[in-house]
Amino acid sequence: MAALSASSSECCTLKKTLNRLISNTSDSPRARTRSEPLYVISLERYGRDADFGLRFPDSISMSDSLFDATITDGDCKIRVSLDPAVNRLISVNKLHCGSVIRHVEFSRGEASDGDGGSFHVCSLEVDRLSGGDAALRALSSVNVRSIPWMGAEPSSGPLRARRSSYLPLWNNHDFNGEVWRDTPPSEPDAEDSEDEIDDIGSTVSLAEVRRRFLSGSRRYRGALCVRILHKSRLIYYGKADQKCECPYKAELQVGDGSSNACVVLWNTVCLEWYRILHPGQVVRLCRYRVKEKISLNSRNPTAQITIIPKNQISPDWVLPDLPHSFICGQELPSCPQGHICDVIGVVIFVGRPERVRRKDGQRSEVEEYRWLQLADRTSDKPIMIKLFSTSQPDIQSRVYPMALLVCTRLKLIRSAVDRATTFEYLTNTSLTQFLHWLKQVDESSLLERAVIGGYFSYPPLPVSLHNFMENRQGEAGLISGGEMKLECEKLNYREKRQFALQSEPHRTSVKRKLFSSTNFSLFDGAMEFLVGEQEDDSNDEDDDEEFSTLPTSPMTSRLGLTRVAIETLPRVFCYERRHIQAVAVGLQVNNFHKLLPQRELESFSPASCYTGYFTLSVKALSDGVMLDVLFLPAAPGNLHWMPLPLSHNNSWESILSHGGFSPHAPPPSPADLIATANQLTNQRLLCVLDACALGEEKMELVLNRAFPLR
């Protein structure tokens, strides 16, 4: 697609189309573009409110989210709201920042509806044939930020709901946008009635406030001078039936020497103070309300918060020190389940961001997480952290390999493979935080191990079917291939889920493929169990041998990828290009200036832990659905995909049930594996598959375990 050149306003697609709505020259309340391309240059998400039914009377969407987009034709740009009918395109990343869209149908909101005459996109078509870089190429000669707005510049807030700020695209716990202050606000004028205003000239202890509360008093005179001990992540509690414009809260654990207490920041107080307040600071709190917790509100009364400089803190206040409970990697195995601790170490692995559905009461939420590995020199095993959002996006986005990282208030989780073999990892509590300094270290021995992105699974699953089923108590049981296909179609972008189903590796040929690897090694061989009529392979020099079985129907339903996706591959960490690499393994960005061309994102070499993969086509016994799955076996000496410390005979049955090769014997050669592939012929297996929606229509299926069924 050629780069756009300057054109007259008569050629501006947006103006031509929208002027028909503005001038009422058409009998229709809608106007549609034709085949001319438009480009999505920003995408913003926000929670719907109680007026949803009035604004979208015909919508049957059950989504809690609404979206606004900025679109351009290269000559002008406009901010529009999107109909909830296109939400699914966004949630699976088919429609995203950088998308080329055509046949876009617009309507215009009424000022009487509170929409201020803003424009609304009713429907659109995503042009997927143009390629992933089409918008970047088309707008390469244009400064997107300087493209003029069509009409007046829009307000910065959501268009179709009374919400004070936008949400991040992929989670509800990070702050997002310039409305979240990073400097203290000016002191507000006192407008509260006299009986609600504290006597701010004097101080009162937490113990005294507690005593008055328990005695039934509702008057709390005096300011609190406290040290912040812990800070929670943001809690977004917006619901579709609520009219609260800023439905946020956050908690601070504070102490003053007499007692400790929980302080809650409510609503716009979060916008003004959440980014500014940190553990260790001493603050003066006035005009607060006391219930079970101390509340700081935006009104009735308006809370007053002051950060006290270090040189003004009196030793007479006897404030508590920050509580820390550091442990090292060597100590983790001896800590009890649920132990709360702090850790420090050098990051040697940063996993790709993934998402998982978690239930909070009646509410289901898709949360973002990634795996980290830390080395602290006390153990040959890294400290494993499954890290969800800590509401510190500015810091979490700078967590790269080779960073010296301090992470507080983590919880220990222990998982058992069998009665004698356990694995530990740490994960968030509501008070987990990164300390506000990150230091890059230069240790060549660790740099060799530094890996970023790619498929990763932890903790290891059991190696016996009995133990696996025992561990799944309370979870969904076995499903059919058709059911799995339907469930996979429901997954949102980068959402990961594990399934178990019965199959039989079904093959008509066994091929060996060579990958672009400098050294021939075990993983340079890929095993494919292909189904149905084969293409003419006479020119394929890598074929080793062929077998034949009865072909399956060409109408057989399939799921999965026949070759590895770039998102699956772990990459060598490159410090000099770490910012580009973070985008390459990260989630889809929401703004055009953050977009990078595919050639940049795909330019990083696979890590040394990866030298190839196995692919298998398996057939679900229940309904014949075919699944194309990847197998990335753990191997001796591989510090990223480490084998279990359990010896076995390296037969195919053992390899699949252990998730890799025996740690105490040389792994079999690719030729030996190909020669023994008939071990799987007519073998019924219970397959444990990790499914991850990579966006567009790419569904990654990785074989985690396969247990033989006797």
Side-chain angles (χ1 to χ4, degrees):
M1 187 175 293
L4 291 170
S5 59
S7 60
S8 64
S9 60
E10 288 78 11
C11 296
C12 178
T13 300
L14 281 174
K15 286 183 180 178
K16 284 195 302 183
T17 305
L18 298 179
N19 279 340
R20 297 205 300 268
L21 289 176
I22 296 172
S23 60
N24 293 320
T25 58
S26 170
D27 294 333
S28 171
R30 299 183 177 185
R32 181 192 292 267
T33 65
R34 298 182 181 176
S35 58
E36 308 94 331
L38 298 176
Y39 309 98
V40 180
I41 57 175
S42 78
L43 199 59
E44 304 282 359
R45 181 175 74 97
Y46 52 102
R48 76 187 209 188
D49 64 7
D51 292 334
F52 176 83
L54 298 176
R55 297 175 188 268
F56 302 98
D58 299 326
S59 176
I60 59 173
S61 171
M62 299 300 293
S63 172
D64 286 336
S65 295
L66 295 174
F67 293 89
D68 293 341
T70 302
I71 58 179
T72 184
D73 53 14
D75 294 306
C76 67
K77 61 188 177 186
I78 189 169
R79 200 149 134 269
V80 296
S81 57
L82 301 181
D83 192 273
V86 306
N87 278 19
R88 185 59 186 167
L89 294 177
I90 299 172
S91 66
V92 298
N93 206 38
K94 287 184 179 179
L95 174 64
H96 52 76
C97 180
S99 286
V100 180
I101 54 177
R102 302 178 192 269
H103 304 291
V104 182
E105 186 175 53
F106 294 92
S107 66
R108 196 179 187 196
E110 298 293 336
S112 59
D113 293 337
D115 293 333
S118 63
F119 290 99
H120 177 67
V121 169
C122 307
S123 63
L124 55 83
E125 293 179 13
V126 179
D127 181 356
R128 297 175 54 209
L129 300 179
S130 299
D133 291 339
L136 284 171
R137 293 194 302 270
L139 301 174
S140 60
S141 61
V142 179
N143 183 341
V144 171
R145 291 178 174 174
S146 65
I147 293 176
W149 292 100
M150 181 180 165
E153 183 172 347
S155 63
S156 59
L159 295 177
R160 288 284 181 121
R162 291 183 175 88
R163 299 297 191 197
S164 58
S165 68
Y166 286 109
L167 293 163
L169 271 186
W170 308 117
N171 72 65
N172 284 346
H173 294 285
D174 288 340
F175 54 80
N176 180 43
E178 296 179 358
V179 294
W180 292 84
R181 298 181 60 101
D182 58 2
T183 56
S186 57
E187 295 289 338
D189 295 330
E191 299 179 355
D192 301 293
S193 60
E194 185 176 348
D195 64 340
E196 290 180 322
I197 298 178
D198 300 314
D199 180 5
I200 61 176
S202 60
T203 60
V204 65
S205 70
L206 287 172
E208 178 64 15
V209 170
R210 185 184 301 276
R211 185 188 65 79
R212 292 181 188 175
F213 173 75
L214 294 176
S215 68
S217 172
R218 290 295 180 265
R219 295 176 66 85
Y220 305 99
R221 293 190 175 275
L224 290 167
C225 288
V226 295
R227 186 185 300 280
I228 300 174
L229 305 178
H230 302 291
K231 172 183 171 181
S232 79
R233 69 176 185 172
L234 277 170
I235 301 169
Y236 175 79
Y237 63 90
K239 295 182 179 179
D241 58 352
Q242 290 181 338
K243 290 197 173 183
C244 179
E245 292 189 19
C246 188
Y248 284 98
K249 70 174 183 177
E251 296 185 354
L252 304 174
Q253 299 290 335
V254 303
D256 68 354
S258 71
S259 185
N260 292 345
C262 180
V263 173
V264 184
L265 312 180
W266 286 101
N267 306 331
T268 57
V269 179
C270 289
L271 296 183
E272 295 175 346
W273 285 101
Y274 184 81
R275 293 186 63 183
I276 301 164
L277 299 177
H278 307 294
Q281 291 174 332
V282 176
V283 293
R284 184 181 180 91
L285 308 178
C286 303
R287 300 176 188 159
Y288 49 86
R289 286 194 177 276
V290 181
K291 296 181 181 178
E292 292 296 329
K293 300 176 181 178
I294 296 171
S295 293
L296 301 178
N297 302 313
S298 55
R299 57 190 177 89
N300 299 326
T302 302
Q304 183 176 326
I305 305 171
T306 306
I307 299 174
I308 301 175
K310 290 182 179 180
N311 59 4
Q312 296 181 21
I313 299 173
S314 170
D316 298 335
W317 295 348
V318 197
L319 296 173
D321 294 326
L322 275 180
H324 284 299
S325 178
F326 282 102
I327 65 170
C328 63
Q330 188 180 39
E331 297 170 316
L332 275 177
S334 60
C335 293
Q337 170 86 337
H339 180 69
I340 305 298
C341 62
D342 309 330
V343 295
I344 181 171
V346 178
V347 179
I348 56 173
F349 169 61
V350 177
R352 69 185 184 191
E354 294 177 340
R355 303 165 72 211
V356 64
R357 192 170 299 276
R358 303 170 80 176
K359 282 194 174 181
D360 182 11
Q362 297 297 316
R363 194 172 182 176
S364 177
E365 182 180 346
V366 181
E367 289 208 41
E368 178 186 341
Y369 72 94
R370 66 197 313 173
W371 282 99
L372 302 181
Q373 293 181 13
L374 273 58
D376 69 354
R377 300 292 194 191
T378 68
S379 172
D380 57 352
K381 296 180 181 178
I383 298 171
M384 312 292 297
I385 302 177
K386 188 177 186 179
L387 186 70
F388 292 87
S389 168
T390 63
S391 300
Q392 296 172 289
D394 46 347
I395 295 181
Q396 282 193 251
S397 64
R398 293 187 288 117
V399 176
Y400 305 116
M402 305 310 294
L404 184 62
L405 186 70
V406 181
C407 200
T408 63
R409 303 293 292 176
L410 294 163
K411 179 172 67 174
L412 177 69
I413 305 295
R414 179 167 285 112
S415 176
V417 171
D418 54 34
R419 293 181 180 179
T421 310
T422 61
F423 293 86
E424 297 83 25
Y425 68 93
L426 302 172
T427 193
N428 298 54
T429 65
S430 62
L431 300 176
T432 297
Q433 291 274 285
F434 291 109
L435 294 197
H436 264 237
W437 57 274
L438 287 172
K439 178 182 178 183
Q440 292 295 136
V441 298
D442 183 13
E443 293 193 40
S444 58
S445 62
L446 293 179
L447 184 58
E448 294 174 358
R449 297 174 57 184
V451 176
I452 186 168
Y455 167 82
F456 187 76
S457 178
Y458 195 86
L461 295 179
V463 298
S464 76
L465 178 59
H466 174 78
N467 288 344
F468 171 75
M469 298 304 292
E470 206 171 52
N471 285 3
R472 283 180 64 86
Q473 287 183 358
E475 298 184 35
L478 303 183
I479 64 172
S480 67
E483 289 170 332
M484 179 176 168
K485 191 172 187 294
L486 290 175
E487 291 300 314
C488 283
E489 290 170 354
K490 297 176 185 177
L491 294 180
N492 292 312
Y493 172 55
R494 285 284 182 95
E495 184 178 352
K496 190 173 183 179
R497 187 175 167 190
Q498 193 170 87
F499 298 94
L501 77 164
Q502 291 187 46
S503 66
E504 174 180 10
H506 189 94
R507 62 188 175 87
T508 57
S509 71
V510 179
K511 295 184 179 181
R512 180 175 133 211
K513 288 186 177 179
L514 298 182
F515 294 88
S516 53
S517 175
T518 55
N519 299 316
F520 183 80
S521 64
L522 172 68
F523 300 121
D524 287 324
M527 192 74 66
E528 283 193 324
F529 297 83
L530 304 178
V531 181
E533 296 183 2
Q534 301 301 302
E535 298 178 359
D536 183 6
D537 292 323
S538 57
N539 295 323
D540 190 343
E541 298 178 357
D542 293 328
D543 283 9
D544 276 1
E545 49 186 321
E546 295 203 1
F547 303 86
S548 61
T549 60
L550 291 176
T552 57
S553 166
M555 301 300 292
T556 300
S557 179
R558 297 191 79 98
L559 180 68
L561 303 174
T562 56
R563 61 173 55 193
V564 71
I566 61 169
E567 295 92 339
T568 308
L569 302 180
R571 304 285 179 169
V572 172
F573 174 62
C574 177
Y575 178 79
E576 292 76 14
R577 301 176 65 207
R578 61 193 181 278
H579 303 296
I580 295 176
Q581 204 164 38
V583 176
V585 302
L587 296 173
Q588 180 69 48
V589 299
N590 69 337
N591 207 291
F592 192 81
H593 74 271
K594 301 175 185 176
L595 278 178
L596 292 172
Q598 285 296 116
R599 66 177 182 274
E600 288 272 6
L601 305 182
E602 298 174 4
S603 62
F604 299 98
S605 301
S608 60
C609 61
Y610 169 83
T611 50
Y613 62 97
F614 295 85
T615 62
L616 295 86
S617 289
V618 297
K619 181 180 181 180
L621 290 180
S622 54
D623 47 21
V625 170
M626 301 304 305
L627 307 174
D628 294 307
V629 304
L630 309 173
F631 182 48
L632 301 162
N638 190 326
L639 298 177
H640 186 65
W641 290 311
M642 293 183 289
L644 292 169
L646 304 172
S647 298
H648 58 82
N649 62 3
N650 275 335
S651 65
W652 268 110
E653 184 176 298
S654 297
I655 292 169
L656 294 177
S657 63
H658 285 75
F661 304 107
S662 175
H664 303 124
S669 69
D672 289 340
L673 286 170
I674 291 172
T676 58
N678 58 6
Q679 292 177 2
L680 296 176
T681 302
N682 297 323
Q683 176 68 271
R684 294 192 173 194
L685 303 171
L686 186 146
C687 293
V688 183
L689 301 173
D690 293 332
C692 186
L694 300 180
E696 303 285 345
E697 294 181 349
K698 295 188 295 184
M699 182 61 60
E700 174 193 82
L701 297 180
V702 177
L703 183 65
N704 195 316
R705 290 286 190 276
F707 303 107
L709 297 173
R710 304 303 180 191

